Structure formats: C-alpha cells, structure tokens
C-alpha cells in the first residue's frame, strides 16, 4: 500500500487486513487529532482493496474520513494478446503547443474523476505539471485539426510493465471508437520496451471497462483509493 502526499509518496509495507488492524490499533481519536497537522493537507492512500479497507475504517473511526473513495480494478494486457487493429499514426507525444489542450482536458478529467478542479486548488502546481507533460514524452495526444480527441499518459515504465493513466476522450468525441483505437496505439508504443501494459479503472466505469476488455486486458486484482483533504 502506498501513501501519496502531494506529488511524493510514502511506502507502507504490504500487510494483510488483520496485520493492518493490529498495526493501526494504536490510533485513537486524541492521537489522530494530535498528529493530523503533521500529515499533508491533501494525500491519497492506494492499495489492494482488502488491505486498504482497515486503514480507511480505522482512520474514519478516529475523525479522519476520506473526501472521496474509489473502488478500482487493476488490469493488464500481455503484448501477445493485443488485437491486430490498424495503427493510429496520428497519435504523438505531446509538445509545447499542446499546452492549452492538456491544461483544459486535464482539468476536465480531474473534474469527472475526482470532483475537483486543479486550476482552483493549486494553479501554479497544476501549470507546472502540464508543462512537464508537454516535454517529458510520456503523454500522448490525438487531434483532429485543432481539436483534441484523445489523450493518455504513462505514469511508470519498466521492462516488465508500463502503467497507462489519464485516459481521456472529450464528451463530444465519445462513442466513436476513439478510446479503443487510442489505447491500442499507446500499447503498441509500449510493447517494444515492456512486456505488459497495465492500468487502474474505476469499477463503475462501464464504458472504459468495455474498451479495455475489448483490447484483451484482464482483471488481476481489486484495488482501492482513498483521497484525504484536511483543508475542508
């Protein structure tokens, strides 16, 4: 399980539910309240769902409830299983002149997924993040003319697996097969370097699940995320 404060992370040893309960049993209301100011104002806890639940429950019992919780499915695709659909040569790495496209679409993605607007929460940090996406070679876009039709990023990449994140198709371009073609092409770009593509998807997002299953992604684990915000 991993605790993400801001853009950093604090690693927590992967424990069983019973071990987690024992580990966090020392937390009482007074201690949580006393130590809460030392925690980041905003942080995220992610992990296997059965391991995450005791942590979230124990904190909630002691006055620290998540702003938002998400049940997710961890899925992966072996490069041998990707369908042989036509390539999408128009997909490219984001560049400096994509800044406005990434800025607006990233904010819309966060609003849909997390019910928050990064342009209001921390405008400077969000602007820096978009600038990084324009130059790090890990964010891909597909445009028709000047209009963005698809975007996705790689949040981690190793020889074994690359993690796809931030998959987004604007509402006006949905139900046209764009996401299927876009994700398939991202996978093609991944597979010369990694044996697998993996991602997390909210368990209620049926359109996204349909896309990934159509491409051959298989569910490997039930996952979860808890988003905390002590500024509220």
């Amino acid at each position: 399980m991993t605790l993400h404060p801001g853009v950093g992370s604090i690693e927590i040893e992967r424990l069983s539910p019973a071990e987690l309960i024992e580990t966090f049993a020392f937390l009482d209301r007074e201690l949580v309240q006393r130590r809460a100011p030392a925690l980041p104002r905003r942080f995220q806890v992610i992990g296997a769902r059965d391991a995450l639940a005791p942590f979230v429950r124990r904190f909630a019992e002691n006055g620290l409830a998540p702003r938002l919780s998400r049940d997710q499915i961890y899925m992966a695709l072996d490069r041998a299983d990707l369908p042989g659909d036509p390539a999408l040569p128009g997909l490219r790495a984001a560049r400096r002149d994509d800044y406005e496209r990434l800025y607006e679409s990233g904010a819309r993605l966060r609003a849909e997924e997390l019910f928050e607007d990064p342009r209001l929460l921390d405008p400077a940090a969000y602007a820096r993040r978009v600038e990084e996406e324009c130059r790090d070679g890990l964010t891909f876009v597909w445009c028709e003319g000047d209009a963005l039709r698809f975007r996705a990023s790689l949040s981690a990449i190793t020889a074994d697996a690359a993690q796809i994140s931030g998959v987004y198709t604007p509402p006006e371009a949905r139900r046209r097969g764009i996401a299927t073609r876009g994700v398939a092409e991202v996978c093609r770009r991944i597979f010369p370097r990694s044996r697998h593509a993996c991602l997390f998807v909210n368990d209620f997002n049926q359109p996204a699940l349909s896309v990934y299953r159509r491409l051959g992604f298989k569910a490997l684990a039930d996952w979860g995320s808890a988003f905390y915000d002590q500024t509220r």
Side-chain angles (χ1 to χ4, degrees):
M1 187 163 59
T2 306
L3 192 71
H4 289 274
V7 296
S9 65
I10 301 171
E11 298 294 333
I12 300 174
E13 183 181 359
R14 179 72 174 274
L15 302 174
S16 70
E19 290 169 327
L20 278 166
I21 292 171
E22 181 179 352
T23 300
F24 294 107
F26 68 90
L27 293 171
D28 57 26
R29 180 177 297 275
E30 181 180 351
L31 186 59
V32 169
Q33 292 175 344
R34 189 166 67 246
R35 293 192 175 183
L39 290 170
R41 291 185 306 162
R42 292 166 51 81
F43 62 94
Q44 176 187 0
V45 187
I46 66 173
R49 203 176 302 170
D50 60 354
L52 179 67
F55 178 92
V56 173
R57 183 171 61 250
R58 189 65 178 175
F59 264 52
E61 289 171 353
N62 291 283
L64 190 59
R67 175 187 72 85
L68 182 69
S69 295
R70 287 283 189 249
D71 286 342
Q72 298 162 316
I73 301 172
Y74 174 59
M75 307 184 77
L77 172 68
D78 186 283
R79 60 186 169 196
D81 296 331
L82 180 68
D85 295 333
L88 187 64
L91 187 81
R92 57 173 175 78
R95 56 197 185 211
R96 184 66 187 86
D97 59 356
D98 292 310
Y99 181 89
E100 290 300 326
R101 296 185 184 96
L102 296 183
Y103 187 87
E104 293 300 324
S105 61
R108 292 173 184 168
L109 171 61
R110 288 275 290 274
E112 284 189 27
E113 292 279 324
L114 303 177
F115 306 135
E116 63 182 18
D117 189 335
R119 298 168 296 187
L120 301 177
L121 288 169
D122 193 336
Y126 180 59
R128 287 194 299 270
R129 176 59 190 143
V130 176
E131 289 173 355
E132 291 173 4
E133 291 174 335
C134 290
R135 63 173 182 263
D136 63 13
L138 299 177
T139 294
F140 299 91
V141 297
W142 179 27
C143 300
E144 288 182 332
D146 291 331
L148 177 74
R149 291 296 181 241
F150 173 84
R151 62 170 288 172
S153 298
L154 302 181
S155 54
I157 185 164
T158 70
D160 182 60
Q163 182 177 321
I164 301 172
S165 62
V167 177
Y168 180 75
T169 303
E172 64 273 14
R174 293 173 187 173
R175 293 176 293 278
R176 292 172 46 191
I178 289 175
T180 301
R181 295 177 66 192
V183 173
E185 185 63 24
V186 171
C187 290
R188 288 191 191 91
R189 309 288 177 91
I190 287 171
F191 286 149
R193 294 183 285 171
S194 297
R195 291 184 290 275
H196 303 88
C198 62
L199 51 80
F200 297 92
V201 56
N202 291 330
D203 66 351
F204 58 81
N205 192 339
Q206 291 303 318
L209 284 166
S210 295
V211 167
Y212 302 141
R213 288 166 178 156
R214 191 178 306 125
L215 291 173
F217 279 84
K218 295 179 174 61
L220 298 184
D222 292 330
W223 218 250
S225 296
F227 300 84
Y228 290 85
D229 187 345
Q230 298 189 84
T231 64
R232 293 172 179 263

